[in-house]
Amino acid sequence: MISSHLFLICCLLFIASSTAQTRPKGIILPVTKDPSTLQYITELKQRTPLVPVKLAVDLGGQFLWVDCDKGYTTTSYIPSRCNSASCSLSKAGSCLTECYSPSRPGCTNNTCMLFPENQYAPIATSGTLGSDVLSVPSAFGGPPVTISKFLFVCGTTFLLENLSSGVTGMAGLGRTKVSLPSQFFAAFSFKKKFGVCLSSTSSKGAIFFGEFDSSTAPLTYTPLLTNPVSTAGVYTAGEASTEYFIGVKSININQKPVKLNATLLAINATDGYGGTKISSVDKYTTLEASIYNAVTNAFVKELNVPTVPSVKPFGACFSAKNIGTLYTGPDVPTIDLVLQSKDVYWRIYGGNSMVRVNNNVWCLGFVDGGVNSRTSIVIGGYQVEENLLEIDFAASKLGFSPLLYRKQICANYNFQAKS
Ligand SMILES: *[C@@H]1O[C@H](CO)[C@@H](O)[C@H](O)[C@H]1NC(C)=O
Ligand SMILES: *[C@@H]1O[C@H](CO)[C@@H](O)[C@H](O)[C@H]1NC(C)=O
Ligand SMILES: *[C@@H]1O[C@H](CO)[C@@H](O)[C@H](O)[C@H]1NC(C)=O
Ligand SMILES: *[C@@H]1O[C@H](CO)[C@@H](O)[C@H](O)[C@H]1NC(C)=O
């Protein structure tokens, strides 16, 4: 009896001490906007010994991928064997039975394959799944947090085309079991939700996991929708999209409804066309051509100042001397994305709708996505800056708080632990 109790105590102590380091209250990934490419970039550490790795943020991306061809040195890489638990977790559908070059991360026998994608180029190719040590900053000033077997995909050097200088991969935060959020939730038993706050200035914004006090920013919620047809570059039939879709039912400008084709606003369950998603890869909100034209015309009419020659990629531009300033940014008509009911809307103020293209000109920061575009409304990075987004996997809902402009809350976000 006594000996078995001792055994139990010894093991409990062992478990407690081995998990103490790995049970932070929160994780915070800093996000900066590259001034020349306007890509959102985060930085974490990986491998043994740890090296800093810069990654482009892909909100709807399936997993973390990095270039393993060049400069990937480590002693802790473990390839995921075909049919292993990690391969099925990742839903990998194919197997690299033999790699003909000398063995190294990205080239190992009997390793399951996934398809890393760079939408900035755009290019997708095959890559292999494996794990390595990952280290990320903890919130609230604690020591960095380490995960010993963090799953990621080995990409190749040519996949880095069009990514910002120094960036060697992409951080996928989408709805899969191997995305960064899912692996953080599992490793630290966090609540299954994460926050995104992109900064509009050169200061750092953040993506955060764990316990946070969101009382500084009251959130409005809308259901996250599933697009049953994958939006990835390479996928198998029957796979759903891993991106975050929401249900925009109509658009109001100055609180007046804009006449739109309702078919385009819904997701077509057969081919996955239509609908509204949020993207950190698109710089500006992109609208299907008929929606773009209707919104732009209504906006110009409501603003009621003369347009000036447009500046690419925008269509509607105005002289800065005709536009005043409010605490919410340029004094222009509000644009409401109306959601599940007429009382629930995402209001876009001048600070998020207008782009200063030069000293004299403001343009409406929306882009024409052409006719027959895959997703009718893609809410881009510029429109979510200084908005707090909370993506809740468990409840499948998006919380948003568009009123942060005045507070510049995303710049060097001052996190407070929930007590
Ligand atoms: C991979 O498989 C081939 C043949 O099946 C074998 O010759 C080679 O040694 C293997 N490589 C490694 C690293 O195990
Ligand atoms: C890189 O981006 C530019 C536009 O930003 C595009 O024209 C070019 O085709 C892209 N590169 C590739 C390889 O597609
Ligand atoms: C609305 O969009 C759908 C899908 O593109 C199209 O088939 C239909 O003709 C459009 N309706 C109108 C009235 O333009
Ligand atoms: C949905 O897509 C299918 C296949 O492209 C098409 O036949 C159908 O008409 C679409 N449904 C609607 C409501 O547009």
Side-chain angles (χ1 to χ4, degrees), residues 273 282 284-293 296 313 366-378:
Y273 274 63
D282 289 76
Y284 306 102
T285 294
T286 304
L287 304 173
E288 181 278 336
S290 70
I291 301 177
Y292 175 83
N293 289 327
T296 306
F366 286 27
V367 176
D368 185 349
V371 291
N372 204 27
S373 60
R374 174 65 199 268
T375 301
S376 301
I377 302 178
V378 180

Side-chain angles (χ1 to χ4, degrees), residues 124-183:
T125 186
S126 62
T128 49
L129 184 69
S131 70
D132 208 336
V133 174
L134 190 86
S135 173
V136 286
S138 69
F140 323 120
V145 176
T146 301
I147 300 177
S148 56
K149 291 176 188 167
F150 195 91
L151 290 167
F152 74 104
V153 173
C154 270
T156 54
T157 305
F158 73 79
L159 258 185
L160 302 178
E161 172 101 33
N162 282 9
L163 292 183
S164 306
S165 150
V167 168
T168 56
M170 295 185 80
L173 297 157
R175 296 169 99 179
T176 70
K177 295 216 164 82
V178 292
S179 65
L180 279 87
S182 290
Q183 291 195 64

Side-chain angles (χ1 to χ4, degrees), residues 26-32 40-45 53 55-59 64 134-140 145 147 150 170-173 179-181 184 188 190 194-199 203-210 212 410 412-413 415:
I27 286 174
I28 176 164
L29 293 176
V31 180
T32 51
Y40 300 97
I41 309 298
T42 190
E43 188 173 317
L44 42 72
K45 290 186 174 142
V53 177
L55 303 165
V57 173
D58 183 1
L59 190 62
L64 187 165
L134 190 86
S135 173
V136 286
S138 69
F140 323 120
V145 176
I147 300 177
F150 195 91
M170 295 185 80
L173 297 157
S179 65
L180 279 87
F184 292 151
F188 307 118
F190 287 156
F194 69 98
V196 179
C197 209
L198 301 178
S199 175
S203 309
K204 285 189 173 82
I207 297 172
F208 46 92
F209 306 84
F212 294 96
C410 293
N412 300 315
Y413 197 102
F415 294 100

Side-chain angles (χ1 to χ4, degrees), residues 196-198 214 216-219 327-328 349 352 384-389 400-411 413:
V196 179
C197 209
L198 301 178
S214 54
T216 43
L219 297 173
Y327 71 86
T328 48
Y349 294 92
N352 282 113
V384 299
E385 287 173 0
E386 305 301 340
N387 289 239
L388 176 63
L389 303 182
F400 56 93
S401 182
L403 262 173
L404 306 180
Y405 230 86
R406 183 172 44 160
K407 301 178 190 163
Q408 292 256 324
I409 200 170
C410 293
Y413 197 102

Side-chain angles (χ1 to χ4, degrees), residues 259-264 268 288 290 372:
K259 203 170 164 357
L260 303 175
N261 181 338
T263 306
L264 294 169
N268 180 323
E288 181 278 336
S290 70
N372 204 27

